[in-house]
Amino acid sequence: MNAPQVPAWAASTYDFASWTDATNLIGGTWQLPLESHGSLGVINPRHGKAIAQVHMAGAADVDAAVKAAKAAQPAWADLPIRERAAVFYKLRELMERDVERLSWLVSHENGKTYAEAKAEVLKSIECVEFGCSLPNLAAGSELQVSRGVTCRLEYAPVGVVAGVSPFNFPLMVPLWMLPQAIVGGNAFILKPSEQTPLSMIALGELFREAGLPDGIFNVVQGGREAVEALCDHPGIGAFGFVGSTRVAKLVYGRSAMAGKRSLCLGGAKNHLIVVPDADLEVAAGNIVASFTGCAGQRCMAAANLLAVGDVEHILDEIKKRAAALTLGEDLGAINSAESITRIRGYIDGAVSDGATLAVDGRGSKVNDSGYWLGPTIIDGVTKEQVAAREEIFGPVLSIIRVKDLSEALAIENGNPYGNASAVYTTSGEVARKVMGNAEAGMCGVNVGVPVPREPFGFGGWNDSKFGAGNITGWDGFRFWTRVRKVTTKWALQADQNWMN
Ligand code: NAD
């Protein structure tokens, strides 16, 4: 079947625009699935209308992608790492050139605002920069371990590897994985979210322009069926996943059972702690940005605010600022109608449970067809209530009042997730206590979205991550490469006369 055209990405406003169909990129060719598994509309959440169709792939497409990747990978791995990284230098240039159109594309397929989408693209460029730096970091080491004998360590690619990404960062999350894996000498098969498959089409074209050989970056579209085929395929050596905890747990087990190294990042329920000595400006601004940014659809977003003691003045400011945000400008749309139903269900449930709505975003909308929900603050939530325990994944903050820091930490650590944690304080002692005791992989002091920047690695603890290490930074390079140890005896001729 013929490959669909990849169009010029023309939109530069929030107006409705249609894009190309999303198909598979296998061995350098865009192609429809080998067998039909149906198609889905790619919905622009601001309009609630389809901007493209995604053609769902299955096991046969995964197999074709593995074959193409396997054929291309040895020649790629043979190149010196500097030459592999050079493609990412070029990619960085192209992404800078295309910042605007990439940002609009992310905004259109995901629903976040242009400014948020641009921040995503800029962060994606940082991930590419880390890939560019790898030749300076990835030197192995050598040591004379006994007389005339050395041991050398070097990083070898795994071969063919795969990654699966969620809807909320359609460009950035794939670029958490791709630079380290590809500069590391692997060929990659990426399965983007079926809700946001278009950014990977743009990236596929940019990789081509940057000079990446065909077959080194492959895209398989689809959902569960394609993911299961990636988990099971014996030709894939490493599997990275980012998405909800339910699915992360399933695919971690499944891919590990198939003999792969596996790293699967899951969902979150992030707790922020505010104490009476916190700076009003910093705390209020930061906490509002944390729970409303990307309409709360970030695994690092604030979910529960643990209000310690008398912090009423800070809570009032948070409520005032959240209520003043403009939907559609300060925060974008929710990804789907199902998500609106889910989030509203949590808010309604909290009210039935006896909490009060300090800010109610349920009636807010920008138009009738898009998926909208304004910032919502639920006050007086107790730790037992559903809103306090489950991942809501929307612009909703639950305030839980506690008497002291120990009670706050006990509630936070009673939660099974462990992605992010933050404390707002001007006291070093308070900061030290929270950072030393919070069960979370990524912690912030007066920082509401404590994303570790490269070369530090991104990854939570507990039910927010399955597998060892982190997915970005140097840990990411270690995940996508294997360490080879070479022991050499150099002294075989030492007792021969001509050596002496
Ligand atoms: P999701 O788990 O529904 O989907 C993620 C990926 O898994 C998609 O590509 C999807 O096609 C695939 N998938 C869905 N169901 C599957 C199944 N049964 N078997 C195999 N594959 C399946 O997640 P989402 O709704 O796209 O994204 C939101 C979730 O991702 C939230 O829970 C959020 O916290 C989490 N997230 C986590 C991080 C992190 O770094 N920890 C980052 C971003 C998002």
Side-chain angles (χ1 to χ4, degrees):
M1 289 172 117
N2 285 336
Q5 295 292 306
V6 177
W9 311 94
S12 55
T13 68
Y14 289 124
D15 291 345
F16 180 78
S18 62
W19 306 86
T20 188
D21 278 11
T23 56
N24 302 326
L25 176 62
I26 296 180
T29 310
W30 293 106
Q31 49 193 263
L32 287 163
L34 294 166
E35 293 160 9
S36 174
H37 298 271
S39 64
L40 289 178
V42 179
I43 309 294
N44 175 329
R46 286 187 86 96
H47 299 281
K49 289 192 283 189
I51 54 176
Q53 292 290 312
V54 55
H55 298 272
M56 308 292 272
D61 304 293
V62 166
D63 189 51
V66 172
K67 287 196 172 96
K70 205 170 160 75
Q73 190 265 337
W76 177 247
D78 264 358
L79 294 175
I81 189 168
R82 277 178 61 79
E83 289 182 36
R84 298 196 299 256
V87 172
F88 284 81
Y89 274 97
K90 184 69 188 168
L91 177 68
R92 184 193 181 286
E93 236 176 66
L94 299 174
M95 289 177 74
E96 290 275 6
R97 179 196 71 189
D98 289 356
V99 162
E100 201 185 327
R101 74 185 186 108
L102 287 169
S103 305
W104 279 115
L105 175 58
V106 168
S107 170
H108 277 237
E109 69 171 338
N110 171 277
K112 62 181 74 173
T113 66
Y114 175 76
E116 290 169 339
K118 189 169 177 185
E120 174 173 350
V121 176
L122 295 177
K123 176 63 200 155
S124 305
I125 290 174
E126 269 187 36
C127 298
V128 170
E129 285 167 357
F130 185 69
C132 297
S133 73
L134 282 169
N136 299 316
L137 299 173
S141 54
E142 189 173 273
L143 185 72
Q144 180 167 233
V145 289
S146 62
R147 289 185 187 189
V149 177
T150 60
C151 207
R152 188 176 83 234
L153 176 155
E154 60 191 36
Y155 299 101
V158 172
V160 177
V161 300
V164 175
S165 52
F167 80 84
N168 64 332
F169 283 93
L171 186 66
M172 183 191 75
V173 168
L175 282 165
W176 281 355
M177 307 186 247
L178 292 164
Q180 288 91 327
I182 292 180
V183 175
N186 299 288
F188 206 102
I189 304 169
L190 187 94
K191 207 295 290 170
S193 167
E194 62 275 42
Q195 295 174 49
T196 53
L198 302 177
S199 293
M200 284 304 100
I201 296 184
L203 187 71
E205 287 299 298
L206 291 180
F207 265 136
R208 190 200 303 277
E209 200 179 338
L212 189 72
D214 291 346
I216 299 301
F217 174 62
N218 305 277
V219 180
V220 172
Q221 306 287 2
R224 176 179 177 169
E225 206 171 331
V227 175
E228 290 181 349
L230 290 170
C231 291
D232 296 345
H233 201 294
I236 296 172
F239 178 81
F241 174 93
V242 181
S244 61
T245 289
R246 183 184 65 82
V247 181
K249 221 177 209 170
L250 283 173
V251 296
Y252 177 68
R254 189 161 179 150
S255 55
M257 281 299 284
K260 296 173 180 36
R261 63 171 64 183
S262 185
L263 180 58
C264 298
L265 275 60
K269 185 78 181 173
N270 302 316
H271 290 70
L272 274 53
I273 298 176
V274 62
V275 302
D277 70 21
D279 181 276
L280 174 69
E281 227 6 75
V282 169
N286 235 266
I287 291 167
V288 171
S290 178
F291 92 89
T292 62
C294 297
Q297 299 173 114
R298 291 190 286 193
C299 66
M300 297 294 279
N304 286 348
L305 181 62
L306 297 160
V308 181
D310 182 12
V311 289
E312 223 51 51
H313 61 299
I314 301 176
L315 300 182
D316 288 346
E317 187 64 22
I318 290 170
K319 292 169 190 172
K320 194 175 97 193
R321 290 185 186 209
L325 293 178
T326 306
L327 191 58
E329 287 175 28
D330 296 318
L331 66 161
I334 300 295
N335 70 313
S336 67
E338 294 74 34
S339 293
I340 292 281
T341 307
R342 183 195 70 238
I343 300 165
R344 286 189 69 122
Y346 279 114
I347 301 170
D348 296 344
V351 175
S352 324
D353 284 344
T356 53
L357 288 183
V359 181
D360 184 357
R362 289 175 299 177
S364 312
K365 58 185 177 182
V366 172
N367 55 34
D368 285 331
S369 56
Y371 309 136
W372 299 104
L373 199 133
T376 298
I377 298 181
I378 315 173
D379 203 349
V381 176
T382 64
K383 67 179 195 295
E384 295 80 17
Q385 288 172 1
V386 181
R389 290 188 284 110
E390 296 185 6
E391 183 178 34
I392 298 178
F393 217 55
V396 179
L397 185 71
S398 300
I399 298 176
I400 304 173
R401 287 150 196 275
V402 294
K403 63 176 186 318
D404 57 27
L405 211 47
S406 301
E407 188 185 351
L409 278 165
I411 293 174
E412 171 164 3
N413 293 347
N415 193 275
Y417 296 101
N419 223 37
S421 165
V423 61
Y424 291 88
T425 181
T426 49
S427 151
E429 177 58 10
V430 170
R432 199 182 64 84
K433 179 163 179 181
V434 175
M435 294 304 100
N437 293 285
E439 278 287 322
M442 294 172 280
C443 301
V445 178
N446 298 316
V447 174
V449 183
V451 173
R453 306 273 284 265
E454 285 71 15
F456 300 102
F458 188 102
W461 289 356
N462 306 332
D463 279 1
S464 292
K465 193 191 71 186
F466 304 90
N470 296 295
I471 203 153
T472 66
W474 178 244
D475 273 11
F477 184 74
R478 291 295 311 273
F479 176 72
W480 299 109
T481 54
R482 297 179 288 182
V483 172
R484 176 183 286 125
K485 286 77 61 183
V486 180
T487 304
T488 307
K489 193 166 193 174
W490 297 104
L492 291 179
Q493 294 88 1
D495 53 355
Q496 293 179 16
N497 287 341
W498 58 266
M499 277 284 287
N500 298 322

